[in-house]
Amino acid sequence: MIGVAVALVVLAITFGSLVAAGMPLLTALAGVGIGMLAITTLTGFVELSSVTPALGTMLGLAVGIDYALFIMSRYQSEVRAGRSLEEAAGRAVGTAGSAVVFAGLTVVIALVGLAVCNIGFLTQMGLGGAFTVAIAVLISLTLLPAILGFAGDKVMRGRPRYLAKETGGAEFRTHGRRWVEAISRRKWPALAGGIALAAVAALPMASMQLALPDDSSKPAGSDARVAYDLIADNFGAGANGPLVVVVDTANAPDPVAAVQTATDHLQALAARAGSDIATVVPAVTSAAPQAQQAFTQQLATVRFATLTVIPGSGPSDQATKDLVAEIRAAVADLPAETGARALVTGQTAVGVDIADKLTQVFPIYLAVVVGLAIFLLIAVFRSIWVPIKAALGFLLSVGVSLGATVAVFQWGWLNQLIGLDSTGPVLFILPILLTGILFGLAMDYEVFLVSRMREAYVHGAPARRAVLEGFTHSARVVVAAAIIMVGVFAGFALTDDVILKTIGFALAVGVLADAFLVRMLIVPAFMLIVGERIWWMPKWLAPLVPTFDIEGEKLTERLDGSSGEATEERVLATH
C-alpha cells in the first residue's frame, strides 16, 4: 500500500493527469495478480518458501509500474509531436516497448541465473521473481495499449507546467537539462566526486558478517522474540540454536567405542580455555532408548547416534559459526580412529554451509549473469565502453547498498527508523540475491537513459549534444521510475519479517544509489569525458554481434519515409 501510494503521487506529478497516473498502477496490479495467482496455484504441487510470493509481489509491482511509465511517457511525447493517438501508441510500443522487452530480459536473466547456486529456496525465489517480471513485460505491451485506446485523449489532459514549453532540442529546458549542462561544465569533479561518495558509502561492507537470522531479530514483544529471550535468560543464548553431531557407525567395528570416542573429542574441546561450548549432551541412538542401560544394546543394531552441543553464544553470533568449524576439525580424524564418521547439523550449521556454498558459486554466478548482460548491451548499443561502464556502475551501486545494510542491520545506525530494535549479522543470501535483482534493475535504468542518447547520436547529433538531449528526455522518467521503485521496496522494509525487511531495505538503497548517484551523475560525466569514443566498437566484432534496434531507429525511419543512408554511413564510420 505504501508503494502504490508513492507511485500514485509520482505518476500524477509526472503525467499531470489522474487518468494517466492510474494506468501504470492498473496494469502493474493486474500483472501482480496474474503472477500471484500462478504462484499460489503452484504451491498446491510444489512446496515454496514463504519469501517467494512476497519477492514476486515486490518485483512485479515495482517493474510493472516502471515499464508502463516508460511506455506512457513515450506515448505522450509522440502525441505532443502531432501524431494521432493510434500512431502514437504504435510508435511508443515499437520504440519504448522494445527497450522494455530488453530491460525485462536482463532482469529475468539475472533472476533465473540464481539457479546456478543449486540451492532450492534461492532457485524458487529467482524463478518466481522472473515469472512476475515476464508477466509485467507482457502486460505493458498488450494491456496498456488497449487501455490507451479506451482512454482516448483523456490521457493528455492536465499537462504539467514544466512541460508547457517543451519543444525538443536545445530549447527543451527542464531541471534535467540544467543538471546535465552543469555536469558538462564540471565533468571531472562530477565523476571523481560521485565515485568517491560511492566508495565511502561502501566502506562498511568490509566488516560484513553473514548468517541466517534467528528469532532475536524479531520485533520486541512478538511471540517469537519473547520465547527467544525467555530461553536465553534461563538456559543461555546457545539453547536457541543447538548443534547436533550425528555419528554414523555403519563402518565402525565397535559402534559403542566410536560414539564414545566422538564424545571424548567434544568434551575435550569443551574443556579448552575460551571454548564456546556450554554443554555436551550425552548421545542417544536413532532407536530412542528409554533407559541409558539399553544404549549399548541398541547401538549394536542401529546406525546413527546423536550428540547435542549447546553453544555459549547465540545462533547468529560469529563465535557459534566458528564453533561449527572447530567441532568439525575435532572429529575429522574419527573415521581413521574408529571407522565411524561424525557430521554436524542444526540451524547454525546449515546457515554456515549455505553461506560457504554461496561464496563459492558467487564468482561463477557473477561471470554468467554479467557476461551475458554485457554481450546483450554490446548488441543493443553497438559499443564496448557503454556495457563496461554500465557494469562498473552497477558494482558501485551494490557496494553502496551492502555498506548501508551493514551500517543499519549489523552496526545499528538509525535502525529504529525501520522498526529494528536489535543488531546482528546480515542475511546470508543477501549479497547474491541483491546482485541478481539489482543488476537487472540497474540495466533497466541504463537502457532507459542511454537508449535515448544513442537515438539522438544515430540521428546525427554530435556525441556531447546526444548526451545532453538523451539525458534531457530520459532523466524525468528515470527519476520518477526510481522514486516509485524505492517507495515499493521501502514499504517492504517496514514489515516485521526480518528477511523481507533486509531485502526491501537493501534494494531501496541500491536503486536510490544506482538511479541518482550512478545514472544521474557518474554516467553522464563519464560519457561526456569519453566523447565520440564511447560508441566505439572494433570492426572485427561488429559482424559477430546481432543488432537489437531497441531505440526504434529503423521503425522511425520507415514510418517517416527516411532512407537513413547518411545515418547508417555515419554510424559505420565510427566503428
Side-chain angles (χ1 to χ4, degrees), residues 225-304:
R225 178 66 176 275
V226 170
Y228 181 95
D229 292 340
L230 189 64
I231 293 173
D233 292 341
N234 290 275
F235 302 100
N240 285 290
L243 301 173
V244 179
V245 180
V246 181
V247 182
D248 182 1
T249 63
N251 298 320
D254 188 347
V256 176
V259 173
Q260 186 58 49
T261 301
T263 304
D264 293 341
H265 287 322
L266 294 177
Q267 290 177 342
L269 179 61
R272 292 180 187 174
S275 173
D276 194 51
I277 296 179
T279 307
V280 177
V281 181
V284 296
T285 67
S286 54
Q290 300 300 318
Q292 187 65 28
Q293 57 265 28
F295 176 74
T296 302
Q297 180 181 356
Q298 292 186 18
L299 193 56
T301 59
V302 298
R303 176 176 177 177
F304 299 105

Side-chain angles (χ1 to χ4, degrees), residues 275-365:
S275 173
D276 194 51
I277 296 179
T279 307
V280 177
V281 181
V284 296
T285 67
S286 54
Q290 300 300 318
Q292 187 65 28
Q293 57 265 28
F295 176 74
T296 302
Q297 180 181 356
Q298 292 186 18
L299 193 56
T301 59
V302 298
R303 176 176 177 177
F304 299 105
T306 62
L307 299 95
T308 303
V309 177
I310 307 297
S313 304
S316 61
D317 291 346
Q318 183 63 40
T320 305
K321 292 192 291 183
D322 295 339
L323 180 60
V324 173
E326 293 173 2
I327 292 176
R328 285 173 171 162
V331 296
D333 296 333
L334 193 64
E337 297 175 4
T338 65
R341 60 174 185 158
L343 308 172
V344 184
T345 185
Q347 180 174 334
T348 301
V350 169
V352 170
D353 291 342
I354 294 179
D356 290 344
K357 186 172 184 179
L358 291 177
T359 302
Q360 294 172 3
V361 302
F362 183 71
I364 300 175
Y365 170 75

Side-chain angles (χ1 to χ4, degrees), residues 407-476:
V408 173
F409 286 81
Q410 187 174 312
W411 294 357
W413 290 8
L414 303 177
N415 60 352
Q416 297 289 338
L417 295 180
I418 60 172
L420 193 67
D421 55 8
S422 62
T423 60
V426 175
L427 177 66
F428 67 119
I429 62 172
L430 182 66
I432 196 165
L433 186 64
L434 177 68
T435 298
I437 298 174
L438 191 57
F439 184 82
L441 300 180
M443 295 306 102
D444 283 2
Y445 297 134
E446 182 74 11
V447 169
F448 294 164
L449 185 65
V450 181
S451 63
R452 291 301 294 263
M453 296 179 184
R454 176 168 173 78
E455 183 178 353
Y457 179 74
V458 298
H459 284 87
R464 179 183 179 276
R465 199 177 81 192
V467 172
L468 298 181
E469 291 184 3
F471 188 94
T472 302
H473 285 279
S474 304
R476 176 168 55 92

